[in-house]
Amino acid sequence: EKRVGLVYMFNLIVGTGALTMPKAFATAGWLVSLVLLMFLGFMSYMTTTFVVEAMAAANAQLRWKRMEKRKEDDEDEDSSSGVSDTDVLLQDGYERAETRPILSVQRRGSPNIFEITERVEMGQMASMFFNKVGVNLFYFCIIIYLYGDLAIYAAAVPVSLMQVTCATGNHSCNVGDGTKYNDTDKCWGPIRRIDAYRLYLAAFTLLLGPFTFFNVQKTKYLQIMTSLMRWIAFILMIILALIRISRGQAEGHPSMAQLSGIRNLFGVCVYSFMCQHSLPSLITPISKKKHVNKLVLLDYILILAFYSLLSFTAIYCFRNDTLMDMYTLNFTNCEIISVAFIRYFLGLFPVFTISTNFPIIAVTLRNNWKTLFHREGGTYPWVVDRIVFPAITLIPPVLVAFCTHDLESLVGITGAYAGNGIQYLIPAFLAYCSRKDTQLVFGSGTVNKHLSPFRHTFWIVFVLIWGFSCFVFVTANIVLSESKL
């Protein structure tokens, strides 16, 4: 059970982002990359504990409201009507401040009020602990992140297909042999590479787009199959790179530090540590939650080691200028791998794993749009519900992918903006507001048993300052580098 949670979380975090990491590592230099990766891993772990704490606080509040409701129902039966001061609290309003802390819970002797038994999604926590503006900002952030995700997916699949199928020269053996192709190079006959890319993008959209208009859930078998493929692919790439290095065929001479590469590396790392938004569905099913933070810590350490191994073998094995945005595509070359099956497996595995993920993310995004525009009690007209929402979900990412297939920048920008919000700012605000709320409702003596190890307010302030300064840094960097062009 614990191990299942561990593996599940590993699979959730280690995704497409990791494939763009080697290139980002090479561009920023190995020392800078290693330090930044470790620091961002630590920050991400800290905000994970914030989210767990907020989940416990949300569970406590829901449980408490139910207890009060039950107590009231009992009182009503005793016909002792009369407004108790608990009514004020039930009005979910912001008048909580005036009510005195209610200690009835402790008196009943239930230290387990902070048990995480109900799945409280991040959006629900936001609406419990934030005000109107906060809730809208939260949804805005999630929506931008999911759009970025979909755009990355929509570009990664056609790029892989183009790279694997575009025959160059007299035989398809020199795919990725260190020559970077231009989009205008020929693919088959009169068709240029960029045309092939757009054809594949159209096919991808026509095949997977319709799923956005229905409800899809990821089946267990599909999940097991994709994670198995991903594991095999990652391990295979590490082993193949190590074999090349041990044979003395390594060509990489990575630099120690290059400041120009930091912006993208930051975004890629943030994107590659994302799991905060899926924590509720991960942690709620684990039965023994006493050591949940240790479990998450162990996961983060394993993932750090894994990312470092993947990236270091990559940057020593391949020259910086030959490293592809999608690391898998470096292995589609005959001179590097003679076995055709491995070449095609590695080149096409992102196509398979992403294609199973794309509909899930799209449906999630569509539902978030619906929640954002949620009208009290009202449902949407059929056309809006079935046509408009899926359309606004699907069209923007496909347009972005049509205009650019620079995966590294797509990942970098998604991570640096929306990823930053979901990974740093939102968890910090959740921890802060849920602590304040808990004090108001349960009195200042109450201790949340899932309190984050980083319980001092300093940490929250630190995360917020870090998040905002990253925001400023990335923006400044983009503005400066654009003006140079």
Side-chain angles (χ1 to χ4, degrees):
E1 166 111 16
K2 255 209 202 103
R3 254 166 280 155
V4 171
L6 195 82
V7 172
Y8 211 74
M9 184 163 176
F10 196 98
N11 279 340
L12 191 94
I13 298 181
V14 180
T16 336
L19 293 178
T20 56
M21 202 174 264
K23 174 81 177 148
F25 247 70
T27 325
W30 64 267
L31 186 66
V32 173
S33 302
L34 192 62
V35 172
L36 195 65
L37 186 69
M38 288 168 86
F39 177 66
L40 293 178
F42 164 72
M43 293 295 281
S44 186
Y45 169 67
M46 178 157 56
T47 59
T48 310
T49 64
F50 286 168
V51 175
V52 174
E53 180 186 330
M55 273 163 62
N59 266 279
Q61 286 213 13
L62 291 171
R63 201 169 279 125
W64 188 82
K65 276 179 194 153
R66 272 199 304 269
M67 277 155 109
E68 287 303 329
K69 193 119 190 73
R70 220 174 293 136
K71 213 165 75 182
E72 245 162 58
D73 294 346
D74 296 348
E75 279 170 16
D76 289 349
E77 281 161 26
D78 305 343
S79 74
S80 59
S81 63
V83 180
S84 63
D85 56 355
T86 54
D87 288 358
V88 190
L89 277 163
L90 285 171
Q91 284 162 8
D92 221 20
Y94 304 107
E95 318 94 89
R96 283 200 196 121
E98 286 108 63
T99 58
R100 53 186 181 72
I102 310 275
L103 295 167
S104 57
V105 180
Q106 269 91 338
R107 291 208 190 100
R108 273 182 219 165
S110 50
N112 291 339
I113 185 154
F114 287 98
E115 206 57 79
I116 302 174
T117 50
E118 257 180 272
R119 190 170 98 211
V120 186
E121 292 297 347
M122 234 177 172
Q124 199 182 339
M125 286 193 273
S127 49
M128 280 171 90
F129 300 126
F130 297 164
N131 59 14
K132 257 292 174 5
V133 180
V135 174
N136 285 340
L137 280 173
F138 164 80
Y139 277 109
F140 177 68
C141 201
I142 284 274
I143 282 169
I144 297 292
Y145 172 72
L146 292 172
Y147 268 137
D149 238 0
L150 290 177
I152 292 160
Y153 286 172
V157 169
V159 162
S160 298
L161 288 168
M162 167 185 83
Q163 199 63 36
V164 171
T165 59
C166 276
T168 42
N170 39 12
H171 51 82
S172 59
C173 196
N174 16 8
V175 179
D177 55 356
T179 47
K180 271 278 200 279
Y181 294 109
N182 286 326
D183 283 348
T184 48
D185 291 352
K186 296 277 181 278
C187 182
W188 323 285
I191 294 180
R192 300 168 307 167
R193 288 172 67 88
I194 187 73
D195 303 326
Y197 168 80
R198 285 171 179 168
L199 281 171
Y200 282 131
L201 178 62
F204 177 78
T205 311
L206 289 173
L207 284 171
L208 292 173
F211 284 111
T212 318
F213 295 82
F214 312 107
N215 280 317
V216 273
Q217 259 116 28
K218 197 163 188 180
T219 61
K220 203 171 173 178
Y221 292 110
L222 213 56
Q223 203 143 8
I224 292 170
M225 203 157 134
T226 49
S227 27
L228 211 72
M229 272 186 83
R230 196 181 320 162
W231 275 95
I232 294 169
F234 275 119
I235 290 168
L236 200 59
M237 288 188 291
I238 291 172
I239 291 172
L240 289 168
L242 283 172
I243 290 174
R244 271 186 81 76
I245 293 170
S246 66
R247 282 189 187 156
Q249 295 167 314
E251 297 165 354
H253 301 287
S255 60
M256 255 174 77
Q258 271 173 306
L259 295 179
S260 56
I262 288 188
R263 176 192 92 207
N264 253 345
L265 177 74
F266 168 73
V268 169
C269 290
V270 169
Y271 185 78
S272 303
F273 278 121
M274 278 301 277
C275 68
Q276 278 74 359
H277 55 304
S278 316
L279 275 176
S281 40
L282 259 177
I283 283 173
T284 315
I286 298 176
S287 56
K288 294 192 182 64
K289 294 196 187 63
K290 206 173 151 65
H291 306 297
V292 79
N293 282 338
K294 287 196 187 88
L295 195 74
V296 176
L297 181 63
L298 179 62
D299 241 322
Y300 269 93
I301 291 170
L302 286 174
I303 287 165
L304 256 175
F306 184 68
Y307 283 169
S308 310
L309 188 61
L310 183 75
S311 303
F312 271 99
T313 51
I315 59 178
Y316 280 104
C317 183
F318 298 102
R319 272 204 331 274
N320 184 2
D321 55 339
T322 63
L323 268 174
M324 304 273 201
D325 274 359
M326 287 270 280
Y327 181 46
T328 41
L329 299 179
N330 276 84
F331 294 92
T332 52
N333 168 12
C334 294
E335 273 115 64
I336 294 177
I337 283 109
S338 45
V339 188
F341 174 73
I342 294 181
R343 279 205 308 272
Y344 284 109
F345 173 73
L346 286 177
L348 298 175
F349 115 90
V351 175
F352 183 71
T353 48
I354 287 172
S355 301
T356 56
N357 247 343
F358 188 86
I360 313 291
I361 304 282
V363 169
T364 310
L365 173 54
R366 186 196 72 194
N367 294 341
N368 272 305
W369 269 123
K370 283 185 184 172
T371 318
L372 182 62
F373 287 123
H374 179 61
R375 297 208 307 265
E376 279 308 312
T379 50
Y380 300 105
W382 186 87
V383 175
V384 175
D385 193 48
R386 285 308 175 105
I387 309 291
V388 176
F389 279 121
I392 58 169
T393 298
L394 195 61
I395 293 167
V398 172
L399 278 178
V400 170
F402 188 82
C403 298
T404 175
H405 55 81
D406 179 2
L407 278 170
E408 209 192 352
S409 299
L410 282 176
V411 172
I413 287 172
T414 303
Y417 285 108
N420 182 349
I422 296 170
Q423 206 169 100
Y424 303 133
L425 306 179
I426 291 169
F429 280 121
L430 273 177
Y432 178 72
C433 297
S434 70
R435 279 174 202 177
K436 230 167 63 178
D437 250 28
T438 304
Q439 302 264 301
L440 279 176
V441 179
F442 299 117
S444 49
T446 336
V447 176
N448 182 340
K449 65 180 209 176
H450 284 292
L451 196 61
S452 160
F454 308 94
R455 59 198 58 175
H456 201 282
T457 318
F458 159 77
W459 290 112
I460 292 182
V461 177
F462 178 60
V463 172
L464 290 175
I465 291 173
W466 168 250
F468 282 117
S469 35
C470 288
F471 215 77
V472 173
F473 164 74
V474 172
T475 310
N477 197 302
I478 289 174
V479 171
L480 290 173
S481 60
E482 289 304 313
S483 59
K484 266 184 206 149
L485 298 173

